[in-house]
Structure formats: structure tokens, C-alpha cells
């Protein structure tokens, strides 16, 4: 069974991303097509990007990067659980993406977003542009949660029927892409050769 990581992108103390991500992981498990793991970025405590080498080289010097690389490399597909900060993804999520390269290649990615009137969708649009640079395949089926506070009760996420219905549609499409991309992802290069500067010439 393919492995799906549900990545909680906010690391802010008191974040609603954790209960929303917990619900998304439960919904993914109910779908039944994936082995599901909830991956909380806060557990990885990544500093602002501090590797001396371009991630394309795969030459990591810090333990936090090696640990993050091993975790991301395990997955066949991803769901990013993202808030919207100033119409963009939170820096914690962008930073975590930037840390790595080959670990992301050829993976499909879905989005669970939340916010006010725009339900975090502006952050998702920015993320879609970012992830295609890493040859990930963002899918349009998504769970977009508007005015999220109405769905939080006693620290738990209590979705509306519409949100509950959106989740299995996203996981079904994500599974189709996971199957289609499996060979490319399995044979992805561990590091880019030649390096960026030579390739650009
Ligand atoms: C720096 C910052 C910028 C924000 N900008 C937006 C925004 O552009 N759109 C929006 O819907 N909510 C915005 N919010 C409100 C967030 O939706 C809300 O704080 C939410 O709880 C953030 O998710 P988190 O708790 O998982 O970190 C912003 C919050 C912060 C802290």
C-alpha cells in the first residue's frame, strides 16, 4: 500500500493546523487506499534554512536535515495542511520544502487549507507554483476550509458535511496519481547531476 504523509505546515504554538491535520489523517485512513502518517513539522524543529549546499546535491551536513530527508523520502504521496499567512503559505512550510530536493520529486500532493473568506486557497496557489519546481504534481481536488473557527470545538476539528465529502474525493484522485507516478518516483535520482550552474549553461 502506498505511503501518504499528511504534513502539518504550521508550527505556531496553539495552531489550529494540528487538529485539522489530525482530522485529515483520520479521513485518509478511512479512505483506505494509503498507509497514513501524520507528520508534524513542529517535531522536526527545522531552523531557517542553514545547509551550506544546494539541496539538489543531497549533501546535508545537519542532523535536522538528515532526519527530515529520511522522513520525506519514505512517502509516496503528500497532503500539505496549510494556513494562509498574508495570502501566502506559512514560512515554516516553505522552509521545510526548501530544505530538500530529490525527496520531493515526482510525488503527487493534495492540499487541506484553512483561513477566513478565502479558506487558505491563496496560500495553496502559491504552493502549487513552488512544488512544480520540485517536479511534484499538485492536484486540484482539495479540502478548503473557510472561516475555520466555526469548525473548532474544544480544540477538535468538527467538519461540515461538505468538508467531509471533499476529503475522499481528494484522496481518491491522489491515489490515482500516486499509482501513475510510482515508477518515476521509485527511480528518482538521489542527487542532481550535473549541478545547477552547469545545467544552466
Ligand atoms: C502572520 C499571519 C498572517 C495571516 N494572514 C492571513 C491571511 O492572509 N488570510 C487568512 O485567511 N488568515 C490569515 N491569518 C489568520 C490565520 O488564518 C489564523 O491565525 C490561523 O489560526 C493560522 O493557522 P495556524 O493556527 O494553524 O497557524 C494570518 C495569521 C497570521 C499569524
Amino acid at each position: 500500500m502506498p505511503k501518504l504523509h499528511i504534513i502539518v505546515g504550521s508550527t505556531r504554538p496553539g495552531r489550529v493546523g494540528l487538529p485539522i491535520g489530525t482530522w485529515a489523517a483520520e479521513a485518509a485512513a478511512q479512505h483506505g487506499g494509503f498507509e497514513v502518517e501524520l507528520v508534524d513539522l513542529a517535531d522536526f524543529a527545522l531552523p531557517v534554512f542553514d545547509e551550506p549546499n544546494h539541496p539538489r546535491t543531497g549533501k546535508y551536513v545537519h542532523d535536522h536535515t538528515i532526519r527530515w530527508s529520511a522522513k520525506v523520502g519514505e512517502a509516496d504521496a503528500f497532503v500539505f495542511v496549510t494556513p494562509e499567512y498574508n495570502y501566502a503559505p506559512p514560512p515554516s512550510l516553505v522552509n521545510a520544502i526548501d530544505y530538500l530536493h530529490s525527496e520531493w520529486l515526482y510525488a503527487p500532493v493534495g492540499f487541506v487549507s484553512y483561513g477566513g473568506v478565502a479558506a487558505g486557497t491563496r496560500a495553496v496557489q502559491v504552493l502549487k507554483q513552488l512544488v512544480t519546481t520540485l517536479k511534484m504534481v499538485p492536484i486540484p481536488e482539495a479540502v478548503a476550509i473557510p472561516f475555520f473557527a466555526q469548525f473548532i470545538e474544544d480544540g477538535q476539528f468538527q467538519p461540515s458535511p461538505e468538508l467531509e465529502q471533499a476529503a475522499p474525493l481528494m484522496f481518491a484522485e491522489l491515489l490515482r496519481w500516486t499509482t501513475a507516478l510510482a515508477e518515476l518516483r521509485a527511480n528518482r535520482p538521489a542527487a542532481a547531476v550535473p549541478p545547477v550552474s552547469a545545467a544552466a549553461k
Side-chain angles (χ1 to χ4, degrees):
M1 201 181 279
K3 183 144 197 217
L4 171 63
H5 282 179
I6 309 277
I7 298 183
V8 176
S10 170
T11 56
R12 191 182 63 81
R15 64 234 153 101
V16 298
L18 191 54
I20 291 174
T22 302
W23 166 77
E26 288 165 6
Q30 274 175 23
H31 170 264
F34 295 97
E35 180 191 341
V36 182
E37 181 175 344
L38 183 67
V39 175
D40 185 355
L41 275 190
D43 290 340
F44 289 82
L46 294 168
V48 173
F49 184 71
D50 64 351
E51 285 288 336
N53 303 307
H54 193 298
R56 284 174 64 133
T57 64
K59 290 180 185 161
Y60 304 134
V61 304
H62 294 300
D63 287 346
H64 53 254
T65 315
I66 293 164
R67 195 169 153 247
W68 179 230
S69 164
K71 178 50 63 185
V72 173
E74 288 172 5
D76 302 298
F78 300 91
V79 166
F80 291 158
V81 179
T82 186
E84 185 174 279
Y85 288 179
N86 297 320
Y87 292 20
S92 48
L93 181 54
V94 174
N95 187 52
I97 294 169
D98 284 349
Y99 255 98
L100 306 177
H101 186 89
S102 78
E103 298 85 342
W104 298 118
L105 292 175
Y106 305 113
V109 55
F111 301 91
V112 173
S113 66
Y114 52 94
V117 66
T121 53
R122 293 169 295 214
V124 170
Q125 289 304 104
V126 174
L127 281 168
K128 283 180 174 173
Q129 187 172 356
L130 197 168
V131 299
T132 56
T133 309
L134 292 160
K135 302 185 185 182
M136 299 177 85
V137 177
I139 66 166
E141 288 78 6
V143 179
I145 306 163
F147 302 110
F148 63 84
Q150 65 185 310
F151 304 116
I152 302 288
E153 283 173 31
D154 298 327
Q156 305 284 311
F157 181 64
Q158 305 289 353
S160 64
E162 291 78 11
L163 295 171
E164 269 181 335
Q165 285 162 18
L169 298 175
M170 177 180 71
F171 294 124
E173 186 68 6
L174 196 63
L175 184 57
R176 286 168 65 89
W177 279 100
T178 305
T179 306
L181 292 170
E183 189 180 337
L184 278 173
R185 182 147 175 84
N187 296 314
R188 67 188 187 273
V193 179
V196 182
S197 55
K201 280 179 187 164

